[in-house]
């Protein structure tokens, strides 16, 4: 896999020494974070841990506290209570030491509208000790034709790609990407996903917020679902989809099977129904044992299930189970 951090510059000599291998102390550790805006509690005792060299996706309904949490980690907001450590540093007290080591892609872009794309990147590169080669980065991100163009004249997708370039040009150890693919077309989304994966391959830790469940499923090693300013669940997409959520098994056979006898063989909370004549759905904790019980019941009753399938719950199902379907203010 090619590197998103091109150029002949030497690897950075970070204050913390050589890049930490995955699995060591968390790169981001948030404990009991509280952040209020006046009387509004945006973050309410939030705990979050991000492992080195991983991609962590933060999901949550509108107003859940994602941006506030990320901005606190970036040092842009001061916590009202709790402890935040990023690369072992306090993001506010140690801002001067931390800033050169992290890359930040803001939702708004955070760019002066008149700034030219290449000028902007070269300026940011100069602020870092071991920046990426700007020319290569521009080419790599397909911004070749945009160099002399003012930020406000770039298309939305080009602005997003420039914001991503700005976040990585300093060759950071950790990048925060706030909704990096919001409003992008499918090509640009996939290009951004590729870049994020390449960042991980380069040993960069990535923390991103997103409303796209498929983005989290595709990219993230770890997903934190935030609701009401707290983490409602954290784990790999597989863990979250497995844990707690009910799954569905469907099979077809002859019509009007006696499902009461099937249910007697299954765990008490399992539900079985004939949806259309000869089409059956079993809902519950669908595991290998349940599958074996259903097929053995079919064998005992002379039923040949010509189609049988297991539907795993998606991250979106889990998200809605945890956060509900109510629209947020
Ligand atoms: P979204 O998905 O809509 O971007 P979010 O999960 O990122 O939402 P935040 O932006 O962190 O949520 O906002 C959390 C809560 O804090 C919301 O109710 C929001 O209105 C409020 N809030 C955020 N920033 C401010 C601010 N500067 N002043 C007052 N209230 C704020």
């Amino acid at each position: 896999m090619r590197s998103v951090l091109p150029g002949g510059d030497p690897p950075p000599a970070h204050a913390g020494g050589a890049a930490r291998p995955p699995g060591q102390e968390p790169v981001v550790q948030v404990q009991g974070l509280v952040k209020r805006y006046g009387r509004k509690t945006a973050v309410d005792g939030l705990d979050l841990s991000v492992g080195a060299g991983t991609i962590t996706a933060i999901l949550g309904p509108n107003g859940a506290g994602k941006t506030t949490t990320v901005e606190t980690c970036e040092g842009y907001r001061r916590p009202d209570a709790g402890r935040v450590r990023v690369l072992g540093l306090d993001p506010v007290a140690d801002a001067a030491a931390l800033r050169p080591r992290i890359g930040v892609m803001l939702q708004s872009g955070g760019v002066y509208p008149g700034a030219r794309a290449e000028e902007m990147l070269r300026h940011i590169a100069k602020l870092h000790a071991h920046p990426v080669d700007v020319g290569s980065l521009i080419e790599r991100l397909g911004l070749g034709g945009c160099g002399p163009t003012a930020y406000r004249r770039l298309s939305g997708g080009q602005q997003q790609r420039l914001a991503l370039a700005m976040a990585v040009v300093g060759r950071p150890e950790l990048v925060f990407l706030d909704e990096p693919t919001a409003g992008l077309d499918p090509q640009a989304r996939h290009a951004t996903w590729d870049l994020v994966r390449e960042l991980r391959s380069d040993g960069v830790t990535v923390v991103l917020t997103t409303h796209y469940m498929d983005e989290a499923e595709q990219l993230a090693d770890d997903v934190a679902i935030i609701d009401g300013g707290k983490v409602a669940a954290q784990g790999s997409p597989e863990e979250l989809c497995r844990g707690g959520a009910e799954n569905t098994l469907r099979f077809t056979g002859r019509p009007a099977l006696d499902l009461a006898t099937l249910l007697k063989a299954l765990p008490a909370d399992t539900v079985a129904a004939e949806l259309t004549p000869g089409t059956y759905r079993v809902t519950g904790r669908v595991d290998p044992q349940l599958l074996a019980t259903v097929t053995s019941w079919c064998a005992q009753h002379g039923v040949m299930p010509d189609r049988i399938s297991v539907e795993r719950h998606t991250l979106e199902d889990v998200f809605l189970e945890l956060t509900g379907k109510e629209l947020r203010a």
Side-chain angles (χ1 to χ4, degrees):
M1 188 179 273
R2 67 182 159 171
S3 169
V4 75
L5 300 179
D9 298 307
H14 297 301
R20 295 180 195 88
Q24 289 197 355
E25 73 187 68
V27 164
V28 177
Q29 191 148 39
V30 177
Q31 293 165 311
L33 175 65
V34 176
K35 179 67 197 169
R36 298 185 196 93
Y37 300 107
R39 294 164 74 182
K40 167 87 196 168
T41 302
V43 179
D44 189 13
L46 182 140
D47 298 312
L48 181 70
S49 179
V50 173
T54 61
I55 300 172
T56 295
I58 300 179
L59 311 180
N62 289 137
K66 302 178 298 294
T67 298
T68 301
T69 300
V70 169
E71 289 179 352
T72 307
C73 294
E74 293 162 353
Y76 294 123
R77 302 203 180 272
R78 193 181 288 274
D80 290 313
R83 185 176 186 273
V84 178
R85 287 291 176 274
V86 175
L87 296 165
L89 300 170
D90 179 324
V92 177
D94 304 320
L98 187 59
R99 288 272 161 81
R101 296 175 62 188
I102 65 173
V104 173
M105 179 184 180
L106 300 171
Q107 245 179 60
S108 57
V111 182
Y112 171 63
R116 296 175 201 284
E118 184 169 349
E119 217 171 66
M120 194 69 205
L121 274 177
R122 293 204 181 279
H123 173 69
I124 296 173
K126 276 197 200 124
L127 302 176
H128 291 85
H130 303 279
V132 165
D133 179 77
V134 172
S136 312
L137 185 61
I138 284 177
E139 203 172 310
R140 172 68 187 90
L141 289 173
L143 290 168
C146 308
T149 310
Y151 179 78
R152 68 170 178 277
R153 301 210 187 283
L154 296 176
S155 75
Q158 289 164 341
Q159 289 181 352
Q160 290 279 81
R161 275 181 280 153
L162 176 61
L164 183 56
M166 285 162 56
V168 303
V169 71
R171 204 188 287 273
E173 291 167 70
L174 165 66
V175 286
F176 293 101
L177 309 175
D178 203 358
E179 299 190 28
T181 63
L184 291 188
D185 66 27
Q187 288 87 348
R189 277 184 85 202
H190 281 277
T192 302
W193 290 355
D194 288 345
L195 284 165
V196 170
R197 291 192 189 101
E198 289 166 29
L199 285 168
R200 176 178 54 192
S201 304
D202 287 333
V204 179
T205 306
V206 180
V207 177
L208 60 91
T209 67
T210 183
H211 286 295
Y212 301 124
M213 302 294 139
D214 60 329
E215 180 158 293
E217 275 184 320
Q218 288 276 336
L219 283 183
D221 302 298
D222 209 29
V223 171
I225 299 178
I226 296 186
D227 194 21
K230 292 187 172 73
V231 172
Q234 186 174 3
S236 69
E238 293 74 19
E239 282 166 351
L240 290 176
C241 292
R242 239 189 356 245
E246 290 197 325
N247 287 330
T248 301
L249 181 147
R250 292 176 196 273
F251 67 95
T252 54
R254 63 173 184 272
L257 291 173
D258 181 7
L259 293 178
T261 62
L262 172 61
L263 282 174
K264 274 190 196 146
L266 294 172
D269 54 353
T270 310
V271 176
E274 184 172 7
L275 300 178
T276 58
T279 304
Y280 299 90
R281 183 183 66 196
V282 178
T283 311
R285 183 170 282 277
V286 178
D287 56 13
Q289 184 55 53
L290 184 138
L291 180 61
T293 306
V294 170
T295 51
S296 122
W297 179 87
C298 286
Q300 282 163 18
H301 291 78
V303 177
M304 179 63 204
D306 42 333
R307 261 185 297 160
I308 187 159
S309 64
V310 173
E311 289 168 16
R312 201 178 66 104
H313 270 208
T314 63
L315 199 53
E316 181 151 331
D317 297 327
V318 177
F319 180 88
L320 290 172
E321 274 172 27
L322 286 168
T323 62
K325 291 189 175 165
E326 295 294 311
L327 281 180
R328 304 307 158 99

